[in-house]
Amino acid sequence: MIPVRLLVLLAFNIHLVGSQASQSSQQVASPPSPTAEPSPLGDGNLSFPWSRLRLPRYIVPLHYHLLLHPNLTTLSFTGTVQIQIDVQNNTNWVVLHSKGLQISKATILDQNLNHLSDQDLPVLHNPSHEQIGIFSPRVLSSGQKYFLYIEFEAELAEGFYGFYKSTYRTSKGETRYLASTHFEPTSARMAFPCFDEPSFKANFSVRIIRSPEYISLSNMPVIKTVQLNGDLLEDQFAPSVTMSTYLVAFIVCDFKSVSATTSSGVKVSIYAAPEKWMQTHYALEVAVKMLDFYEEYFNIRYPLPKQDLIAIPDFQVGAMENWGLTTYRETSLLYDPLTSSISDKLWVTMVIGHELAHQWFGNLVTMDWWNDLWLNEGFARYMEYISVEATYPILKVDEYLLHTCFVAIGLDSLNSSRPISSPAESPTQIEEMFDTVSYDKGACVLHMLRHFLTEEVFQSGIVRYLRKFSYGNAQNQDLWDSLSNTCSEDDFTSSKHCYSSDQASKNAYLFAGEHLNLTAMMNTWTLQKGIPLVTVTRKGPRLLLRQDRFLRTVLPSDPQWQAVQQGFLWHIPLTYKTDISSTIHRHMMTSPTDSVHIGEEASWVKINSDMTGYYVVHYADDGWDVMAKLLRENHTALSYKDRTHLIHNAFQLVTAGHLPLNKALDLIGYLQVEKHTVPLLEGLAYLEVFYHIIEKRDELTLTKNLEKYILQFFRAVIDQQTWSDSGTVSERRLRSEVLSLACHLEYPPCLERANQHFKDWLRSNGTLNLPTDVAETVFSVGAQDDHGWTSLLNTYKISLSEAQKNMILFALATTKDTDKLQRLLAMGLEGEVIRSQDLSRVVWMVARNPKGHYLAWNFVKQNWDTLVEKFQLGSTCIRTMIVGTTGQFSSPEELTQVQLFFESIKEQASQLRATQLALENVQKNIRWVQRNLETLRNWLNEQMK
């Protein structure tokens, strides 16, 4: 699964994330004592036999036979499921998951399909654990297999989980319905009773009854369609491979598709609403290329005969990796060359790369439990970069990896972060695992590991991991063993890196001349939270090194500093480069302090070459002055990644209190001669963040001075931009970002060009195709008057391009008219004009607007219960709204407001790490303002002289 696209730069690179409170890990449990004789007990004399959130292990599902009949007129469904189960301890009870289903019948049959009872069996419910218990009066014997048969019905769900309804509107204004599924992490139980945990893998044989005007899709291809009475059809799908319940999918819709075949014969199809069929062709090209790439990279054939990708109109997250039937937001799959920007194209490419990587990482090999979700999501996020770089090098995806790691650092440098591998038991806790730590930090740690091991060793190790655990489940240690090339006694083969299991702990890699234990190293990155700060001090020919935990909310001078540092130590694969050699030197730092020899003649040293390591670097004494001088005099001596890394680390250190703000501002003074997009945008982003913080405060003079400085400093870059879609991907990205900021800062030439483009667009009645790189900026300028805003809203209502609608929605939220902002929020909540899936984005965009700052916050407070009911407590949408509305609060009064609200929803807030993150973020902003506002004011006054 991939979270919804929300390119958010909150204060100081805070990403919209959350995580979960701890509970006990998986327990081994024995079944309730069996009853030897048949019992006449009715439901009233039975009590629920199981008290834990995780299901008992003594009954294992083998094969589900599932029949579903969704009715798109009544918006309900009926179903039956027959589950073949393997009983591993004598018991009278079968405990499994069910949520919101009306169960009308339950019975158990033996292997010969004989009923164990001549009556329907009692079904007990435990709604708080989303479990049912089915009582068999005859003992289910250990070592035997049985069939559990259940009949059930339910309404198609509101919202975005389980088996839910979705709609789309045709160009003629007709509303059409479809039924779709989204099960990850714990919602298969909303569609059919099941053992809804990732380690309970089974086969699934699905049948779907439908009307002839619809089609049905599932994980496997249809093998037979049967005519039923009453003009109904029954599609029978081929049995699935062994897989987890969260990967099951089925859809009934009237969509159209395009298809092609991979080089190994896999049929790939892209499905979309009929009038959006023409926007599917790019996705088809990408999916075919990606499947071919992954089959070669993993050296494992894709195991299904087909791969469908479908754009669902109502979809909360970005996409979902259901095996053989991946589901997407329309913005994540559809590409319209006339209205989609280059960033839209990159997004579609990366999301497809992510979901298809999951067909191996996650589907073929699945994490044993949600505590190790990163084994799915961290890998899929990292494989986005590897796959897109290989298949679409023109997109320069490597330029975006640094930002992914910066986003991870933004969260990981707060005390409210969590370890990559964290306990998660309840559905809310599990939902919160889908966060920046699992995705972005997971990817960055893998990036570090790949460079540490070398590409060849990394690739062969993950292939070994995938082969060994195919159709099974894995934990952290399984990955480290596979990457260390350790072998069990059973599969021992002779090679220089392969040892028998009794020597596995001794297996280590040679790094910088030292033998290293991979498990010991990687446990420091996955089992403890946070990110290390490496402080570098030059002493003649030596570099003195010290590692601490990097925190932006606690200063070394604070009383709690020692407590928050206690017990943290990383095994850091350091890399560094000096001016006297092009060699990248390596050193493994495993102790709190260390040193390396670099020689007297080196005039500078850059630590963490190309930021392949996941750590922040502080150059003590005059170290930052040396770096600033190097950038001023010879910035190309460092790679663009190193230059970007220096800028990022400097401003992060300012927030953490290790570096004065003026030093960081002086460091980016060289940007007037910078030609590369990535460092340019990194420096500009920090100035923009400061601007957004200050413009929401009563600091008119300071705001104006910063505005003048940005426009003056970057004027040459702004003025050289063309209002077109020409140039490389990097040049187009720069154009989009720079012109957007210039118009936001009301730079007259920018406003003039944007207004002219908008007038031309209005005159064409919306038929003129604006250059996609600047369309959002043009719309934002045009939205500032009543006529422009209303015209954009009308276009939004009828547009068939989700990319264009996203741009228009952004523009509508930039208005200074608070009544219009209130209207946007109301439309998002109501869900007709603006879909509910986009509400969290609307809230974030209104909160970003100085005129809508408090509107958005008050909206979340006033509608809290409705929002939680609509999106689920632990969801990305709820986290986006919590962190998005509070992200730029920077006063003690605002902090008090946030604390009071969280206190008023204490029971829910206590379950969310996002509330801790929000509070810590506001505290950080308050301290930043207190420490840096005067410095910024004085520095700007100096620049303006």
Side-chain angles (χ1 to χ4, degrees):
M1 186 162 73
I2 195 165
V4 63
R5 180 187 187 188
L6 187 57
L7 301 180
V8 178
L9 184 63
L10 292 176
F12 315 98
N13 268 354
I14 280 293
H15 200 57
L16 303 181
V17 292
S19 75
Q20 78 308 317
S22 298
Q23 275 198 12
S24 61
S25 58
Q26 172 69 48
Q27 66 285 338
V28 176
S30 57
S33 299
T35 303
E37 298 299 325
S39 168
L41 290 176
D43 298 19
N45 296 325
L46 295 172
S47 58
F48 200 83
W50 192 251
S51 61
R52 301 173 186 177
L53 278 168
R54 308 266 288 270
L55 294 178
R57 317 304 295 175
Y58 56 83
I59 291 182
V60 178
L62 302 176
H63 199 130
Y64 292 77
H65 292 268
L66 181 62
L67 171 65
L68 289 158
H69 180 194
N71 186 320
L72 292 178
T73 302
T74 63
L75 300 178
S76 60
F77 67 97
T78 58
T80 66
V81 64
Q82 181 176 285
I83 312 172
Q84 185 183 26
I85 55 175
D86 181 13
V87 177
Q88 299 181 353
N89 279 313
N90 291 349
T91 182
N92 292 92
W93 288 94
V94 180
V95 179
L96 67 164
H97 288 111
S98 177
K99 180 182 179 184
L101 301 174
Q102 300 297 316
I103 294 173
S104 55
K105 181 177 181 177
T107 187
I108 298 176
L109 303 88
D110 64 20
Q111 292 188 72
N112 298 317
L113 299 181
N114 298 314
H115 289 266
L116 298 193
S117 171
D118 56 4
Q119 297 180 348
D120 290 350
L121 301 180
V123 180
L124 272 62
H125 295 259
N126 183 357
S128 65
H129 288 182
E130 302 175 356
Q131 294 171 359
I132 55 172
I134 298 172
F135 179 78
S136 170
R138 282 176 52 185
V139 174
L140 306 181
S141 302
S142 177
Q144 296 298 307
K145 294 180 175 62
Y146 298 87
F147 292 96
L148 173 64
Y149 175 82
I150 304 173
E151 296 178 2
F152 55 93
E153 62 183 54
E155 300 296 311
L156 287 171
E158 300 279 350
F160 308 95
Y161 295 91
F163 197 16
Y164 70 94
K165 64 183 180 186
S166 177
T167 63
Y168 71 93
R169 192 181 294 268
T170 68
S171 58
K172 294 179 180 177
E174 179 189 354
T175 297
R176 293 189 181 171
Y177 287 88
L178 60 143
S180 184
T181 57
H182 183 87
F183 292 161
E184 190 178 33
T186 60
S187 293
R189 64 194 70 172
M190 294 174 67
F192 59 100
C194 57
F195 297 80
D196 199 11
E197 295 177 5
S199 62
F200 283 122
K201 290 193 168 186
N203 302 101
F204 296 83
S205 294
V206 176
R207 293 180 293 151
I208 294 179
I209 298 172
R210 61 176 172 86
S211 298
E213 66 266 29
Y214 297 106
I215 61 169
S216 70
L217 301 169
S218 189
N219 305 84
M220 301 298 289
V222 173
I223 53 173
K224 187 178 182 182
T225 297
V226 179
Q227 180 79 47
L228 305 179
N229 294 331
D231 199 30
L232 291 175
L233 301 173
E234 180 186 293
D235 290 330
Q236 300 176 0
F237 295 86
S240 76
V241 294
T242 306
M243 64 185 189
S244 304
T245 49
Y246 77 86
L247 295 170
V248 176
F250 31 86
I251 296 166
V252 175
C253 64
D254 64 351
F255 286 5
K256 290 187 176 179
S257 65
V258 293
S259 299
T261 305
T262 68
S263 57
S264 62
V266 177
K267 182 182 179 182
V268 179
S269 302
I270 315 293
Y271 288 84
E275 291 180 306
K276 297 180 179 179
W277 176 81
M278 289 302 294
Q279 301 176 42
T280 59
H281 298 284
Y282 178 68
L284 181 64
E285 173 198 307
V286 173
V288 169
K289 275 191 177 185
M290 288 290 182
L291 275 179
D292 282 339
F293 167 77
Y294 283 134
E295 284 194 327
E296 181 179 349
Y297 188 87
F298 295 135
N299 196 22
I300 298 172
R301 288 284 296 270
Y302 174 74
L304 307 188
K306 62 95 173 176
Q307 172 62 242
D308 297 334
L309 300 84
I310 182 168
I312 305 296
D314 296 286
F315 202 75
Q316 182 176 247
V317 295
M320 175 62 208
E321 65 267 20
N322 319 299
W323 214 344
L325 176 55
T326 52
T327 47
Y328 299 77
R329 266 196 185 217
E330 291 182 322
T331 50
S332 299
L333 189 66
L334 304 182
Y335 174 76
D336 177 8
L338 297 178
T339 58
S340 299
S341 69
I342 192 66
S343 64
D344 294 326
K345 189 174 193 177
L346 176 65
W347 174 253
V348 167
T349 314
M350 292 183 75
V351 174
I352 293 172
H354 182 105
E355 301 312 326
L356 295 187
H358 270 312
Q359 307 303 297
W360 286 265
F361 276 102
N363 299 10
L364 186 64
V365 179
T366 310
M367 76 271 138
D368 191 58
W369 183 250
W370 301 105
N371 62 302
D372 281 333
L373 175 67
W374 85 281
L375 290 174
N376 284 18
E377 299 300 350
F379 261 108
R381 172 56 53 88
Y382 190 44
M383 290 308 299
E384 292 174 31
Y385 293 96
I386 293 176
S387 63
V388 176
E389 181 67 29
T391 54
Y392 290 90
I394 194 171
L395 292 177
K396 299 287 185 187
V397 70
D398 195 43
E399 294 183 0
Y400 293 80
L401 181 57
L402 286 180
H403 181 70
T404 294
C405 298
F406 295 161
V407 166
I409 292 168
L411 170 69
D412 223 14
S413 54
L414 299 177
N415 202 36
S416 51
S417 185
R418 65 170 181 86
I420 284 179
S421 184
S422 299
E425 295 294 322
S426 72
T428 295
Q429 293 166 357
I430 292 168
E431 188 81 43
E432 280 209 311
M433 292 295 286
F434 291 82
D435 67 355
T436 286
V437 173
S438 291
Y439 286 77
D440 298 331
K441 181 178 180 179
C444 295
V445 167
L446 289 170
H447 182 60
M448 177 172 68
L449 185 58
R450 182 180 174 216
H451 281 267
F452 164 59
L453 297 177
T454 72
E455 161 62 27
E456 182 184 353
V457 172
F458 178 81
Q459 184 177 351
S460 63
I462 62 175
V463 169
R464 186 178 305 106
Y465 167 80
L466 290 171
R467 285 185 181 279
K468 184 171 183 179
F469 297 99
S470 288
Y471 303 105
N473 299 82
Q475 301 176 0
N476 265 354
Q477 188 60 50
D478 299 319
L479 177 62
W480 309 147
D481 289 346
S482 296
L483 288 167
S484 296
N485 242 343
T486 58
C487 303
S488 68
E489 295 289 356
D490 293 336
D491 61 6
F492 178 79
T493 54
S494 177
S495 77
K496 67 175 183 177
H497 284 307
C498 195
Y499 302 89
S500 59
S501 57
D502 64 338
Q503 291 192 347
S505 63
K506 302 175 186 176
N507 193 9
Y509 277 96
L510 197 66
F511 180 84
E514 305 169 56
H515 283 283
L516 302 166
N517 183 309
L518 189 65
T519 297
M521 170 189 164
M522 293 311 298
N523 282 348
T524 71
W525 296 100
T526 60
L527 301 184
Q528 67 180 348
K529 67 180 179 180
I531 179 171
L533 168 66
V534 176
T535 301
V536 183
T537 307
R538 179 75 182 267
K539 292 293 182 186
R542 300 197 70 77
L543 286 182
L544 306 185
L545 308 170
R546 187 183 81 246
Q547 65 162 292
D548 300 288
R549 181 184 173 198
F550 179 59
L551 283 168
R552 294 182 300 155
T553 49
V554 183
L555 303 179
S557 57
D558 290 343
Q560 65 267 42
W561 174 259
Q562 289 302 322
V564 296
Q565 293 290 334
Q566 190 68 36
F568 285 88
L569 182 71
W570 287 266
H571 292 188
I572 308 172
L574 291 174
T575 55
Y576 61 93
K577 179 185 173 184
T578 69
D579 60 323
I580 57 175
S581 167
S582 60
T583 302
I584 294 176
H585 303 275
R586 301 170 181 269
H587 176 75
M588 180 59 70
M589 185 178 184
T590 58
S591 56
T593 59
D594 205 345
S595 68
V596 293
H597 185 274
I598 61 167
E600 292 278 5
E601 59 274 27
S603 60
W604 56 262
V605 58
K606 165 66 177 64
I607 310 290
N608 199 357
S609 296
D610 284 345
M611 203 191 152
T612 53
Y614 185 71
Y615 54 95
V616 175
V617 181
H618 176 40
Y619 299 91
D621 299 335
D622 66 345
W624 281 105
D625 295 331
V626 172
M627 286 299 161
K629 181 172 183 286
L630 173 62
L631 290 178
R632 280 195 311 273
E633 295 177 356
N634 186 20
H635 69 279
T636 56
L638 299 175
S639 69
Y640 84 84
K641 291 181 181 179
D642 277 336
R643 303 195 298 272
T644 309
H645 179 236
L646 284 174
I647 294 168
H648 170 268
N649 280 195
F651 283 103
Q652 294 295 307
L653 290 164
V654 169
T655 308
H658 295 285
L659 190 68
L661 176 60
N662 58 297
K663 294 272 190 185
L665 291 168
D666 289 342
L667 183 82
I668 63 171
Y670 93 96
L671 286 176
Q672 285 189 316
V673 296
E674 178 62 76
K675 300 300 181 189
H676 200 285
T677 294
V678 177
L680 256 175
L681 289 181
E682 185 68 15
L684 187 58
Y686 280 104
L687 295 176
E688 189 174 355
V689 166
F690 302 158
Y691 182 82
H692 286 309
I693 286 277
I694 294 162
E695 71 173 342
K696 293 180 176 65
R697 301 174 61 85
D698 188 20
E699 292 280 355
L700 189 58
T701 303
L702 180 57
T703 303
K704 286 295 180 188
N705 282 346
L706 182 54
E707 182 182 302
K708 285 179 190 173
Y709 174 75
I710 294 172
L711 290 174
Q712 175 184 311
F713 188 78
F714 289 99
R715 182 169 181 171
V717 176
I718 296 168
D719 288 346
Q720 72 188 22
Q721 302 306 316
T722 60
W723 290 69
S724 68
D725 285 337
S726 63
T728 65
V729 171
S730 294
E731 289 165 347
R732 295 180 65 181
R733 179 186 173 197
L734 181 66
R735 173 187 301 129
S736 246
E737 299 281 350
V738 164
L739 291 179
S740 174
L741 180 59
C743 280
H744 178 74
L745 298 180
E746 299 184 340
Y747 181 48
C750 186
L751 293 178
E752 185 181 330
R753 289 294 298 274
N755 271 314
Q756 186 57 54
H757 277 289
F758 190 68
K759 286 174 185 173
D760 294 342
W761 181 78
L762 282 178
R763 274 196 294 269
S764 76
N765 201 25
T767 59
L768 174 70
N769 290 310
L770 294 167
T772 59
D773 295 344
V774 298
E776 187 173 89
T777 298
V778 170
F779 291 151
S780 297
V781 171
Q784 300 312 307
D785 65 47
D786 288 346
H787 177 60
W789 198 89
T790 304
S791 299
L792 284 165
L793 181 59
N794 289 335
T795 301
Y796 181 87
K797 291 175 182 178
I798 62 171
S799 176
L800 291 174
S801 166
E802 290 300 311
Q804 183 185 56
K805 290 177 73 170
N806 261 0
M807 294 175 188
I808 291 174
L809 195 56
F810 181 93
L812 293 172
T814 63
T815 178
K816 297 177 177 63
D817 185 332
T818 55
D819 289 338
K820 290 187 175 69
L821 295 175
Q822 290 274 31
R823 188 177 167 194
L824 281 179
L825 292 168
M827 286 191 291
L829 187 64
E830 189 258 346
E832 286 295 324
V833 175
I834 298 174
R835 290 185 183 273
S836 295
Q837 66 176 18
D838 296 318
L839 176 57
S840 61
R841 182 167 178 260
V842 172
V843 170
W844 169 75
M845 291 187 300
V846 171
R848 193 172 173 271
N849 185 332
K851 297 293 184 182
H853 198 197
Y854 293 115
L855 289 180
W857 170 238
N858 290 331
F859 173 84
V860 170
K861 290 192 294 182
Q862 291 161 10
N863 296 285
W864 176 255
D865 291 339
T866 303
L867 295 172
V868 171
E869 184 180 353
K870 191 180 287 282
F871 296 111
Q872 294 196 0
L873 186 59
S875 67
T876 305
C877 286
I878 292 296
R879 279 176 272 156
T880 297
M881 288 186 275
I882 290 173
V883 181
T885 52
T886 59
Q888 292 178 350
F889 285 168
S890 60
S891 71
E893 295 76 22
E894 291 166 330
L895 176 61
T896 301
Q897 281 187 41
V898 177
Q899 289 170 327
L900 286 172
F901 175 61
F902 289 165
E903 185 63 30
S904 74
I905 56 164
K906 189 172 185 179
E907 185 179 347
Q908 292 166 318
S910 65
Q911 300 177 56
L912 295 175
R913 198 175 295 273
T915 54
Q916 304 169 39
L917 169 61
L919 287 170
E920 196 174 359
N921 193 31
V922 178
Q923 291 164 347
K924 169 186 62 62
N925 290 348
I926 291 170
R927 295 190 75 157
W928 189 92
V929 167
Q930 290 170 345
R931 284 202 310 270
N932 296 299
L933 213 59
E934 284 308 306
T935 305
L936 179 60
R937 195 188 319 276
N938 295 334
W939 188 86
L940 285 171
N941 288 338
E942 284 295 314
Q943 307 306 308
M944 295 301 178
K945 287 181 179 177

